[in-house]
Amino acid sequence: MIDLHKLDKFRLKDREREFYGCTGDSGNGVFKVYVGGKSFRVIASNGMGWEHVSVSPGSAQRKCCPTWDEMCAIKDMFFREDERVMQFHPPKSEYINNYPYCLHLWRPVDTEIPHPPMICV
């Protein structure tokens, strides 16, 4: 993940204090970013061996998940170009759905994400 201070102009410091009890840092924070004229709320965190970005519509009136292209743009904002990041689909028995229009990006810190051969992608 990039140093999140590079995105300080998009930080929602009041929401960070509400969420974390303090303002964010280089690896954690709450942001409002824009892609294609649409706003998105992003919660970024690192801990327990994972970097994580949670993406939801920035407006309560917009009741839809981010598109693939929107997630790609947000991935490019929060992760380096050379980092492999994934959307994770757990078994249904492990689903936690705190907000129905939220998608997540994950990257393990200490291991490379396995991937199929390039010809298959």
Side-chain angles (χ1 to χ4, degrees):
M1 188 182 301
I2 66 164
D3 179 336
L4 296 179
H5 285 304
K6 293 180 179 181
L7 299 171
D8 277 348
K9 67 182 176 180
F10 301 109
R11 278 189 190 271
L12 301 175
K13 292 181 181 178
D14 290 343
R15 297 303 300 258
E16 287 179 338
R17 285 188 286 275
E18 181 183 311
F19 193 74
Y20 296 113
C22 60
T23 54
D25 56 27
S26 63
N28 299 276
V30 180
F31 304 84
K32 186 171 187 177
V33 300
Y34 295 85
V35 176
K38 295 179 188 173
S39 65
F40 295 88
R41 187 169 83 166
V42 178
I43 299 172
S45 60
N46 63 3
M48 298 176 20
W50 290 89
E51 295 174 333
H52 170 248
V53 170
S54 164
V55 182
S56 56
S59 165
Q61 290 74 33
R62 204 166 77 241
K63 299 195 181 304
C64 60
C65 289
T67 67
W68 174 263
D69 288 337
E70 291 163 345
M71 290 298 285
C72 288
I74 291 168
K75 185 266 184 195
D76 290 345
M77 287 179 208
F78 285 82
F79 293 92
R80 293 189 325 263
E81 187 176 284
D82 63 338
E83 290 179 306
R84 183 173 289 114
V85 176
M86 64 183 162
Q87 285 185 255
F88 185 72
H89 295 263
K92 284 194 179 197
S93 64
E94 297 177 7
Y95 277 18
I96 298 173
N97 191 5
N98 292 328
Y99 184 72
Y101 307 111
C102 184
L103 296 176
H104 304 268
L105 298 171
W106 295 92
R107 191 181 85 77
V109 174
D110 295 327
T111 188
E112 185 71 24
I113 297 171
H115 58 92
M118 290 297 296
I119 195 165
C120 297
V121 187

